[in-house]
């Protein structure tokens, strides 16, 4: 089946779009990819929705700005997918399904609550295509963490490499997460703040949405004592599987540091929290393959490499993987698995009691 996957993650930067052909187990081919950035006004609306979502008590609730934000997310995805099909001269009749992850605004699995705004039925009507959405809900309802969802796709990518394991695939988006692959063994968890704290800090300090190329952090000095205190939080001691909401570490307050030192310290926290997972894995990883926005930050990559030596750290893009759109590809892969009734999540990836499928199919 050929699927168009979409992803709008916790970094709130835009919508990734990617084409994948798969039988639900193997990656048969990877097609083109695209990106539709959010405007400053759209990003402001989504940040407001994130702030208001902390008060939600049920996944169907859309009070205040959340209703407008859901319409925005749905319309932007419709525009992004339609433009992607046109830009790459694809034929709609050759596409079997569109995967719609939606925009995460709240993730509270302990309360069996996870909310990704976006209207799958409205998107299906707009595109006149079958749409699979709401991919996390079944797992959370069954007692799983609902995240990470991409490990089964990471395993397919690693298998295609044919290299010796264990291999860890790292995704550094707004939240960091890892997938440990060793033969058929699959373990996954969120690791801590990915780019979220750093991006929010840069926004406050300079108005920039990111630390471009890690340049600000590269000039700074890491406050290692603050890192040690942050890593003493209970989350970091817990074994996999475990997951996070983007705002779970928003309470962490840096001391009075300069912009450079603050960026360096938050970048180091991301690297240190990822490296810390190695102590909770069955065997030491031989290599760490990094995807997501963090892979484009040389300072973050260097800090991670320093903390996991002698293992090798490499960018997913250097292996021919489309590092920035792996999650979009993954959701296309998961949509096909959903249509086939195959499991999306597993006890060792989300803590769900049994391997479980998920997703809701909307037809035009």
């Amino acid at each position: 089946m050929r699927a168009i996957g979409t992803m709008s993650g916790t970094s709130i930067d835009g919508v990734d779009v990617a084409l994948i052909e798969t039988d639900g187990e193997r990656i048969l081919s990877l097609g083109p990819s695209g990106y539709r950035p959010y405007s400053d006004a759209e990003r402001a609306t989504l940040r407001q929705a994130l702030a208001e979502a902390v008060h939600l008590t049920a996944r169907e609730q859309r009070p205040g700005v959340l209703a407008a934000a859901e319409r925005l997310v749905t319309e932007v995805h419709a525009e992004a997918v339609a433009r992607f099909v046109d830009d790459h001269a694809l034929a709609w009749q050759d596409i079997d399904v569109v995967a719609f992850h939606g925009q995460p605004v709240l993730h509270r699995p302990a309360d069996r609550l996870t909310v990704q705004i976006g209207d799958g039925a409205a998107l299906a009507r707009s595109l006149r295509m079958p749409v699979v959405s709401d991919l996390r809900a079944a797992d959370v309802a069954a007692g799983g963490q609902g995240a990470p969802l991409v490990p089964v796709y990471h395993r397919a990518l690693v298998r295609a490499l044919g290299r010796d394991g264990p291999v860890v695939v790292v995704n550094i988006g707004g939240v960091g997460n890892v997938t440990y692959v060793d033969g058929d063994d699959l373990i996954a968890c969120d690791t801590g703040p990915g780019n979220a704290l750093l991006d929010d800090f840069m926004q406050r300090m300079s108005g920039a949405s990111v630390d471009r190329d890690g340049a600000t952090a590269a000039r700074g000095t890491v406050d290692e004592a603050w890192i040690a205190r942050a890593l003493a939080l209970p989350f970091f001691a817990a074994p996999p599987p475990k997951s996070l909401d983007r705002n779970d570490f928003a309470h962490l307050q840096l001391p009075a540091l300069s912009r450079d030192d603050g960026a360096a310290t938050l970048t180091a926290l991301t690297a240190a929290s990822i490296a810390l997972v190695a102590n909770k894995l069955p065997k030491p990883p031989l290599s760490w393959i990094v995807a997501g926005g963090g892979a484009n930050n040389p300072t973050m990559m260097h800090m991670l490499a320093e903390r996991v030596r002698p293992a090798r750290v490499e960018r997913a893009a250097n292996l021919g993987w489309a590092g920035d759109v792996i999650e979009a590809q993954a959701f296309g892969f998961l949509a096909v698995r959903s249509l086939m009734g195959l499991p999306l999540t597993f006890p060792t990836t989300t803590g769900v009691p049994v391997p479980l499928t998920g997703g809701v199919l909307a037809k035009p």
Side-chain angles (χ1 to χ4, degrees):
M1 301 180 79
R2 298 180 89 201
I4 293 177
T6 65
M7 180 60 185
S8 175
T10 50
S11 293
I12 325 177
D13 49 1
V15 179
D16 294 316
V17 187
L19 179 67
I20 183 170
E21 185 173 0
T22 177
D23 60 4
E25 296 285 358
R26 297 168 299 155
I27 301 163
L28 303 179
S29 69
L30 295 173
S33 61
Y35 177 64
R36 195 282 197 187
Y38 287 126
S39 68
D40 289 344
E42 290 166 346
R43 194 176 293 115
T45 298
L46 295 178
R47 285 186 180 277
Q48 188 180 351
L50 269 172
E52 294 189 14
V54 298
H55 304 296
L56 293 177
T57 57
R59 51 192 304 275
E60 301 83 10
Q61 295 172 342
R62 297 293 185 270
V65 74
L66 283 158
E70 181 159 74
R71 288 192 297 273
L72 167 68
V73 167
T74 307
E75 290 165 4
V76 168
H77 277 74
E79 175 194 321
V81 172
R83 184 182 300 169
F84 173 77
V85 169
D86 288 346
D87 286 350
H88 298 285
L90 302 175
W92 286 104
Q93 63 266 28
D94 293 337
I95 309 300
D96 295 293
V97 66
V98 173
F100 184 25
H101 175 262
Q103 177 62 49
V105 294
L106 184 69
H107 188 65
R108 205 179 287 153
D111 299 329
R112 300 205 175 188
L113 181 61
T114 186
V115 182
Q116 294 79 45
I117 55 174
D119 186 333
L123 184 62
R125 290 193 299 271
S126 177
L127 296 176
R128 299 179 184 174
M129 288 290 298
V131 169
V132 171
S133 62
D134 224 2
L135 289 149
R136 299 184 190 274
D139 184 89
V140 171
Q145 292 285 311
L149 281 192
V150 294
V152 70
Y153 181 65
H154 286 161
R155 183 171 65 186
L157 285 170
V158 170
R159 282 176 172 170
L161 287 179
R163 67 165 57 178
D164 291 336
V167 175
V168 171
V169 182
V170 184
N171 180 68
I172 308 177
V175 169
N177 60 64
V178 295
T179 301
Y180 170 93
V181 182
D182 189 19
D184 288 335
D185 290 348
L186 190 63
I187 298 171
C189 66
D190 285 349
T191 57
N195 297 313
L197 292 184
L198 176 61
D199 291 351
D200 292 350
F201 175 81
M202 293 300 295
Q203 183 78 42
R204 288 194 307 271
M205 296 293 283
S206 66
S209 58
V210 298
D211 180 13
R212 188 72 58 195
D213 297 324
T216 306
R219 294 190 297 266
T221 300
V222 175
D223 186 336
E224 292 287 357
W226 184 86
I227 298 280
R229 290 194 297 274
L231 293 179
L233 290 168
F235 173 84
F236 297 111
K242 53 185 177 178
S243 68
L244 289 166
D245 180 80
R246 185 189 190 278
N247 290 322
D248 278 350
F249 293 104
H251 65 281
L252 285 177
Q253 296 294 317
L254 286 171
L257 299 178
S258 68
R259 183 178 65 180
D260 293 358
D261 292 352
T265 300
L266 292 174
T267 303
L269 175 62
T270 297
S273 61
I274 294 167
L276 195 61
V277 171
N279 300 330
K280 299 172 176 62
L281 299 174
K283 290 191 261 181
L286 298 180
S287 58
W288 299 68
I289 301 170
V290 185
N296 301 320
N297 182 328
T299 306
M300 190 173 287
M301 291 291 287
H302 174 74
M303 288 181 175
L304 178 60
E306 288 286 309
R307 291 176 185 267
V308 300
R309 283 180 172 173
R312 179 172 52 178
V313 174
E314 52 200 317
R315 295 177 68 238
N318 294 346
L319 299 174
W321 297 1
D324 290 341
V325 295
I326 282 178
E327 286 197 304
Q329 294 171 344
F331 283 103
F333 183 82
L334 291 172
V336 171
R337 289 181 69 89
S338 174
L339 292 177
M340 294 179 168
L342 295 171
L344 310 187
T345 55
F346 303 84
T348 54
T349 63
T350 67
V352 71
V354 296
L356 192 69
T357 192
V360 175
L361 174 64
K363 296 182 178 180

